[in-house]
Amino acid sequence: MTTCLPDTFAKSRFARLLAIAFGILLVQSAAAASPGTTVVVAAGDSGPASKAWADYACDGFDDHLEIQQALVALPAGGTVVLSGGTFNCSGSIIPPAGTTLRGNGPEATTLSFSRNGTLNVSSEYVTLDGFRVAGAGYTDLSTDTMPDLTRWLGVITVYASHATLHNITGTADASIQAVFLLLHDPNVYAPVLEDVELVNCRVVDPGTYGFLHNAWGSENTTLKNIRYENCAAINCGRDAAFNAWVTGFDFAELNGIEGLRVTDCLAEGCLESGFHFEWDPDKRDCVFVNCSSRNNGHKPFPDDYLVGDPGLFGAGFYLPGGEVSLVNCRAEENSAFGFFISNPAGMLLYNCTESGTGRSGGLAPKPAAYCILQTERTARDPSIVMEHCRSLDTNGWGFFACGAENLLVRDFTMTNPAGVGRFGALLGCPPTELPANSTITVGIANSTIDLTASGNRPQTLLYVVENWNVVYSGRIYSDAPRPILLEGTRAGDVDLEGLEVLPVDAMVPVLRGNGYV
């Protein structure tokens, strides 16, 4: 017996099934556009398999257009994955907020920018990961009504907060200011630029700055909570340079900096300093741990060079003022200074090592392993703490301090300095070495210095000049006829009772007891 359903019932049942099917399609569509969505873009020179799986396939021309289309199509939380190969970008890429741009690693995926193209992070919570960038041929395209500032940007420019940059290698020619630039520009992103993380990022052989911080405008110009881990700047500006001041890392150009953390980073072979701050900006709570700076400072020295001349940096670490701490850091074979410090206001150097200063890029006229200069009085006491630091086989002064006050130096070791002008260390300064515009009239004041010094290369290991209220302790191992020389110091101004002078042979049992021989 066949039962026939009423026509109205059949229609209603069909409607319900249609609604269910349509609902499933809506759920699938929502899932496809939900956070976590991945869109694949294939390079023009990638293989057939990559292109077959890709959502967008580039042709090797204006590839930034396909990449930008893929990024714009993403919801917040989505990822654009770039295949292996080279993407030729003659314009800029601007990831939207909350998106990720990821390659197959810097050895496999390259973004090659030309015609003023850059990668701009101008929205918050953007992640860049796993590719190489290269930029070349930037030109000034300004008109009478529209300035073009592209040359003053970076191949990668971070304007907005909460950015993450991992596993990126970069380079550029000398036509753009930096490879990685963190820039406060109120016309792009008005709030404070903060919470930016760079991990495993490297710059190799650029004609410009490796990593640069800067700020335009007059408000919110202090960058905050910036973190570098295992990053490197190699040969920045060494063969060609954007300008005469190219450094590996410049953390404070026109911007203030607060809450900087730099860990396990390397600067090597750069035109000027390896790790650098400019003089005027405020620096607060800046900490370096396990960082190395070597063979930096390849700019020629001026004929009328004075120690601390602001026209030349040449330092492994160039630290003009502020609250900066260095822990377990190393400076090797830099041209002018291992560690240059001026007007310290709460600095710390702990377990730092210098060696071979004065041989990079030609022999420096007056190299100094550790240089502390003050051009103005300070209320901080101590102004700087140096503890367990070493100078080994430097080609100039092992320690140079001029106009300094409120120093606290503990367990400083200076071994075999070549010295400058017969002196292994200059503690205080004669008038010929006073820094420009100095308001200090004494060499060292109100300080405590504990050290061990050894070597016979200079005639005098310690030249103590113009000291006031300074206590010295430790040991001097030297066979020189005058291991210590005091000048310009009144009786009672210097306490040397705790400083013992011994022949070099007496040092051997000490070294053997410490396991060095």
Side-chain angles (χ1 to χ4, degrees):
M1 177 176 171
T2 303
T3 304
C4 294
L5 296 174
D7 186 62
T8 54
F9 181 84
K11 289 181 179 178
S12 63
R13 184 170 181 268
F14 176 77
R16 289 197 300 271
L17 291 173
L18 185 62
I20 291 171
F22 185 69
I24 292 173
L25 291 174
L26 285 176
V27 170
Q28 291 175 339
S29 176
S34 65
T37 297
T38 297
V39 175
V40 178
V41 181
D45 60 354
S46 62
S50 294
K51 292 179 180 178
W53 282 99
D55 300 286
Y56 296 81
C58 298
D59 59 8
F61 299 94
D62 294 337
D63 294 338
H64 62 287
L65 297 176
E66 286 85 359
I67 297 172
Q68 190 66 39
Q69 287 173 11
L71 286 165
V72 171
L74 288 176
T79 298
V80 167
V81 175
L82 304 176
S83 73
T86 298
F87 295 85
N88 295 307
C89 303
S90 58
S92 295
I93 298 171
I94 307 172
T99 59
T100 296
L101 180 62
R102 177 173 290 122
N104 276 258
E107 301 301 322
T109 302
T110 295
L111 296 171
S112 180
F113 289 96
S114 62
R115 298 183 66 182
N116 287 18
T118 58
L119 176 49
N120 297 329
V121 179
S122 53
S123 298
E124 294 183 349
Y125 297 101
V126 168
T127 296
L128 308 177
D129 189 359
F131 49 81
R132 177 179 180 269
V133 297
Y138 294 87
T139 58
D140 185 353
L141 301 178
S142 298
T143 66
D144 292 340
T145 58
M146 182 67 68
D148 178 21
L149 301 176
T150 304
R151 293 191 67 244
W152 299 96
L153 301 179
V155 180
I156 297 178
T157 301
V158 178
Y159 298 97
S161 297
H162 315 299
T164 300
L165 287 73
H166 286 186
N167 308 307
I168 301 172
T169 296
T171 194
D173 66 9
S175 64
I176 193 168
Q177 191 178 20
V179 178
F180 292 86
L181 173 64
L182 276 61
L183 174 65
H184 170 74
D185 181 351
N187 294 317
V188 177
Y189 181 83
V192 170
L193 174 54
E194 60 184 334
D195 183 28
V196 179
E197 178 179 271
L198 298 94
V199 177
N200 298 331
C201 293
R202 294 171 56 84
V203 176
V204 181
D205 297 330
T208 190
Y209 294 77
F211 301 85
L212 175 65
H213 297 178
N214 208 349
W216 297 344
S218 59
E219 297 182 357
N220 294 333
T221 57
T222 295
L223 278 57
K224 297 182 179 180
N225 191 18
I226 311 298
R227 304 177 301 281
Y228 290 83
E229 182 178 344
N230 196 35
C231 295
I234 310 296
N235 297 334
C236 298
R238 182 166 180 174
D239 296 322
F242 177 82
N243 60 30
W245 314 101
V246 170
T247 65
F249 295 79
D250 182 350
F251 301 106
E253 182 65 19
L254 299 176
N255 60 287
I257 184 73
E258 181 178 341
L260 174 69
R261 297 293 182 269
V262 186
T263 305
D264 295 323
C265 291
L266 169 68
E268 180 176 5
C270 299
L271 177 67
E272 273 282 14
S273 305
F275 297 96
H276 183 89
F277 298 84
E278 278 297 312
W279 284 67
D280 292 335
D282 291 333
K283 307 103 181 169
R284 297 187 296 274
D285 187 24
C286 302
V287 181
F288 295 74
V289 179
N290 295 330
C291 292
S292 296
S293 190
R294 55 184 183 238
N295 193 28
N296 298 291
H298 290 267
K299 188 166 79 174
F301 283 76
D303 294 335
D304 57 349
Y305 174 75
L306 289 175
V307 176
D309 186 338
L312 186 138
F313 309 138
F317 296 83
Y318 195 85
L319 314 173
E323 299 173 357
V324 182
S325 298
L326 276 62
V327 179
N328 298 332
C329 291
R330 297 163 297 282
E332 304 170 7
E333 298 184 353
N334 299 288
S335 65
F337 310 101
F339 301 87
F340 175 87
I341 298 161
S342 69
N343 297 326
M347 288 194 183
L348 168 69
L349 272 68
Y350 181 84
N351 200 36
C352 293
T353 302
E354 172 279 340
S355 63
T357 297
R359 288 293 180 184
S360 172
L363 182 63
K366 295 179 180 180
Y370 296 81
C371 177
I372 303 176
L373 296 179
Q374 277 184 230
T375 60
E376 57 191 24
R377 301 295 301 271
T378 178
R380 294 295 294 265
D381 190 7
S383 60
I384 181 171
V385 175
M386 288 176 54
E387 189 163 1
H388 306 309
C389 293
R390 295 165 294 279
S391 171
L392 308 175
D393 299 309
T394 192
N395 295 292
W397 289 304
F399 195 168
F400 177 95
C402 182
E405 58 183 340
N406 304 337
L407 308 184
L408 178 56
V409 180
R410 299 185 180 122
D411 190 28
F412 177 73
T413 300
M414 182 178 69
T415 302
N416 195 35
V420 175
R422 308 188 313 276
F423 307 121
L426 186 54
L427 301 173
C429 48
T432 55
E433 298 296 346
L434 282 173
N437 302 319
S438 176
T439 60
I440 306 296
T441 58
V442 66
I444 298 179
N446 303 320
S447 299
T448 299
I449 299 174
D450 173 70
L451 54 80
T452 299
S454 61
N456 286 324
R457 287 203 286 174
Q459 296 181 19
T460 297
L461 271 179
L462 300 186
Y463 180 28
V464 179
V465 56
E466 298 288 348
N467 279 209
W468 180 78
N469 192 28
V470 181
V471 177
Y472 288 89
S473 61
R475 290 182 173 181
I476 306 297
Y477 295 94
S478 176
D479 295 326
R482 185 177 286 179
I484 304 175
L485 175 63
L486 272 69
E487 285 189 354
T489 301
R490 298 173 301 177
D493 282 347
V494 176
D495 183 351
L496 297 176
E497 289 187 7
L499 189 61
E500 187 177 8
V501 179
L502 299 169
V504 171
D505 290 345
M507 193 174 185
V508 175
V510 175
L511 293 174
R512 183 177 292 116
N514 289 327
Y516 295 116
V517 295

